[in-house]
Amino acid sequence: MSTTSRRYAALAGITAAAVAIGIAEPVAVLTGPRSSPLVAVGGVIVDAVPESLKQLAIDLFGTADKIALLVGTAVLLGGFAALFGVLAVRRLALGLAGIAAFGVIGVAAALTRSGADLADALPSVVGAGLGALVLWLFIGGPFELDPWSWSPPTPPVGPVSPAGPVSPGESAPVSPAGPVPVTPAGPTAAAEPVGPAEVDPESRRRFLTGSGVLLGTAVAAGLGGRWLAGRRGVSAAREAIRLPAPVAPAPAVPAGADLSLTQLAPYVTPNFGFYRIDTALVVPQVDPDTWRLRIHGRVGRERTYSYADLLARPLVERYVTLACVSNEVGGDLIGNALWLGVPLRELLDEVEPDDDADQVVGRSVDGWTCGTPTAALRDGRDALLAVGMNGEPLPVEHGFPVRVVVPGLYGYVSACKWVTELELTRFADFDAYWVPRGWSPQGPIKTQSRIDTPRGRNRLTTGPVTVAGVAWAQHRGIRRVEVRVDDGQWQEAALAPTVSVDTWVQWSWRWDATPGEHRLQVRATDATGETQTERTQDVVPDGATGWHTITVTVR
Ligand SMILES: Nc1nc2c(c(=O)[nH]1)N[C@H]1C(S)=C(S)[C@@H](COP(=O)(O)O)O[C@H]1N2
Ligand SMILES: [Mo]
């Protein structure tokens, strides 16, 4: 096969795959977003890739890691599809087998996602079927490119047009309807010699137009399907919700809790700026009207609650700082919000947990699980089944309609979004999602501190410089924050007031900066008197340690 025809073959394969994937999207509008082959296969990859790779992705792409995954998947798929096209030219059955294999992978992925039913196979089946049809159209079917038959081009014979066959050198006759080429080869082809490896221009035109139209259709179908799926989402239901006022409002934020410095994280993180971490490639759309929370397992009386049941109960509002175990020293996977919800302690009391039920497993609609010590939910801290965040219903990507928030525990062991089930069990009996993937079953938040201003790239001038940041030790509280310059004496920073021990605290320290390059370090001591360790530890298995250190240049 010539390079040229190989290129066309690859294009045919890619077109077939694009049609398969694109058409699957509108089908998935009917069967649910997680049945889309791209999303289902992506989800399997997310669940299966080793932690080190996932961490690398988070490091490289931050919270855009999901987009990176989808783009990577598309590139990989494109490569395989091109290969199938080339194979199909040799033997059509080989190419079709490749498309079928894609289909099987899509079906398998969709059916193994949590809560899947047989209908979830439909997008992959329809997609693969149409993809196969497209491949056949281009290779073996009516849109086949001539040289692939490997026969030398036969000169046009017989009465092709009323004017008779066009011979080389002659210009093509113009039909009465206008300058429409009447011979299959058209006017330009006549001047071009057509060798065995050459592509007959008319055939090429048909091929390229065909694949162009099909690629366009595939993209339109894919984007249209996604758009429709988005419109079928729960945003409208969410906007219609009026949350009741809390019976127990949060304490007011004391004056001065927010130092309002540029570069310093605000005391309360706005919803749009709140970090988002989860394994969901498509944000679960959970209808509050049909949502239920089942509390079951090792309990005396299993119970199920509706959204209306929750809103009818006395709600409390609390500031709680949520942190991710994957937050590096100095990282920003942390935020502080005002949560409105039902105290989990009250709900657990109602189901009467068995004495040996030391773990509460939160289960999300998408099958994700986390395991929380029962004790942490019953020891009096403000563990909430939250419905509101910063005065609004939970944003969809932060768990709408209901999630869990537990002060003092990393999100991966406590903060289940889109929660539909709480199962009382034992740590000995069940490992939640991240545990078999190398993370600790227990995830208390470690004492940490961060320098927000200055930043390494800032130009500083000699004289007074405000060094400031945040420190956190949720549910223990921060007693002291210290800063040092170039391994000098630790200097005590001023702590801003906070609402409670469950939130972070802002700190600041006035530095008399001298010219040159300097290293600034921070460390915090929690209210139990324990000082943050200098020993650096990676985020796996239970959270990073070490002192946040920055280098600045003063002129
Ligand atoms: N359903 C579900 N809930 C989840 C997760 C998830 O992957 N799926 N990730 C957890 C983790 S690791 C963290 S740090 C918090 C982050 O919550 P946020 O996205 O609202 O900031 O959600 C937790 N809840
Ligand atoms: Mo996390």
Side-chain angles (χ1 to χ4, degrees):
M1 207 192 311
S2 73
T3 321
T4 320
S5 41
R6 197 173 294 134
R7 235 179 260 148
Y8 287 118
L11 180 59
I14 289 172
T15 306
V19 166
I21 291 166
I23 292 297
E25 290 302 324
V27 180
V29 172
L30 305 174
T31 53
R34 281 178 297 139
S35 60
S36 137
L38 211 52
V39 170
V41 173
V44 169
I45 295 174
V46 166
D47 290 352
V49 297
E51 193 36 48
S52 49
L53 211 68
K54 218 173 293 184
Q55 199 58 48
L56 184 73
I58 293 181
D59 290 351
L60 285 178
F61 305 111
T63 34
D65 56 342
K66 292 189 180 76
I67 296 169
L69 172 73
L70 288 176
V71 170
T73 309
V75 168
L76 204 70
L77 280 175
F80 274 110
L83 184 72
F84 294 160
V86 173
L87 285 177
V89 173
R90 297 177 191 258
R91 273 190 68 185
L92 183 57
L94 282 180
L96 294 179
I99 299 260
F102 270 8
V104 168
I105 291 172
V107 168
L111 291 186
T112 50
R113 304 310 286 159
S114 100
D117 58 41
L118 212 55
D120 290 330
L122 204 61
S124 295
V125 170
V126 172
L130 289 178
L133 180 69
V134 167
L135 197 60
W136 169 77
L137 279 180
F138 285 125
I139 298 169
F143 290 161
E144 187 182 17
L145 215 50
D146 286 348
W148 289 344
S149 59
W150 284 117
S151 57
T154 40
V157 282
V160 178
S161 74
V166 179
S167 52
E170 241 183 51
S171 70
V174 170
S175 78
V180 175
V182 279
T183 62
T188 49
E192 252 176 44
V194 181
E198 290 294 327
V199 177
D200 156 43
E202 169 60 17
S203 159
R204 169 167 57 200
R205 194 186 59 76
R206 202 174 49 210
F207 177 89
L208 288 180
T209 310
S211 69
V213 167
L214 285 172
L215 277 174
T217 309
V219 170
L223 294 179
R226 276 305 174 80
W227 178 77
L228 272 177
R231 275 176 46 106
R232 294 194 62 185
V234 291
S235 307
R238 176 180 175 273
E239 264 141 45
I241 288 169
R242 295 286 164 271
L243 293 175
V247 170
V253 177
D258 199 322
L259 300 173
S260 301
L261 300 173
T262 29
Q263 297 189 326
L264 173 61
Y267 180 71
V268 180
T269 316
N271 287 354
F272 69 85
F274 207 95
Y275 80 96
R276 175 190 162 198
I277 291 285
D278 54 63
T279 59
L281 282 179
V282 288
V283 181
Q285 306 286 321
V286 182
D287 180 355
D289 287 338
T290 54
W291 176 88
R292 295 287 182 277
L293 176 73
R294 192 161 76 96
I295 311 185
H296 65 111
R298 293 177 176 268
V299 296
R301 311 191 317 131
E302 170 176 332
R303 289 201 54 172
T304 300
Y305 301 87
S306 71
Y307 192 66
D309 290 340
L310 295 188
L311 296 198
R313 301 176 67 104
L315 300 181
V316 307
E317 203 163 35
R318 295 288 181 262
Y319 287 97
V320 175
T321 299
L322 207 65
C324 183
V325 69
S326 292
N327 197 29
E328 308 272 354
V329 172
D332 57 6
L333 300 180
I334 178 167
N336 184 38
L338 178 60
W339 308 96
L340 174 74
V342 177
L344 267 167
R345 182 180 5 99
E346 295 173 8
L347 298 178
L348 289 179
D349 287 348
E350 289 172 14
V351 299
E352 298 159 15
D354 296 352
D355 289 339
D356 62 353
D358 61 357
Q359 175 175 238
V360 177
V361 170
R363 196 168 273 114
S364 157
V365 282
D366 62 1
W368 186 84
T369 54
C370 63
T372 313
T374 310
L377 301 177
R378 307 187 83 186
D379 68 1
R381 75 181 77 189
D382 290 314
L384 296 181
L385 194 58
V387 294
M389 179 177 184
N390 289 330
E392 293 174 18
L394 284 180
V396 180
E397 54 293 358
H398 291 292
F400 180 79
V402 182
R403 76 173 304 169
V404 176
V405 173
V406 184
L409 302 181
Y410 286 123
Y412 84 106
V413 293
S414 65
C416 191
K417 304 193 274 188
W418 314 290
V419 66
T420 60
E421 237 182 82
L422 295 176
E423 184 184 356
L424 276 291
T425 178
R426 302 186 308 181
F427 279 101
D429 293 340
F430 183 80
D431 284 338
Y433 186 91
W434 285 111
V435 175
R437 291 168 172 82
W439 297 80
S440 166
Q442 302 291 333
I445 294 176
K446 295 178 179 177
T447 303
Q448 265 294 343
S449 49
R450 187 179 79 191
I451 303 170
D452 282 9
T453 182
R455 309 246 161 140
R457 58 180 178 276
N458 291 160
R459 290 165 163 271
L460 301 179
T461 46
T462 307
V465 169
T466 300
V467 182
V470 282
W472 58 91
Q474 287 92 313
H475 209 57
R476 298 183 299 279
I478 291 290
R479 174 180 297 171
R480 185 167 58 244
V481 170
E482 297 159 291
V483 184
R484 73 173 179 183
V485 181
D486 300 329
D487 298 319
Q489 282 284 317
W490 284 104
Q491 315 273 334
E492 196 160 338
L495 293 183
T498 53
V499 164
S500 76
V501 292
D502 293 337
T503 77
W504 60 10
V505 48
Q506 296 190 349
W507 58 265
S508 66
W509 179 70
R510 182 60 69 93
W511 175 36
D512 215 2
T514 54
E517 198 176 271
H518 298 287
R519 222 158 64 102
L520 298 177
Q521 286 183 301
V522 65
R523 71 176 187 191
T525 300
D526 72 16
T528 71
E530 195 168 323
T531 299
Q532 184 188 332
T533 174
E534 177 179 18
R535 194 172 46 81
T536 60
Q537 192 204 288
D538 189 29
V539 294
V540 190
D542 61 358
T545 63
W547 293 336
H548 188 209
T549 304
I550 65 165
T551 305
V552 293
T553 307
V554 181
R555 288 168 216 282

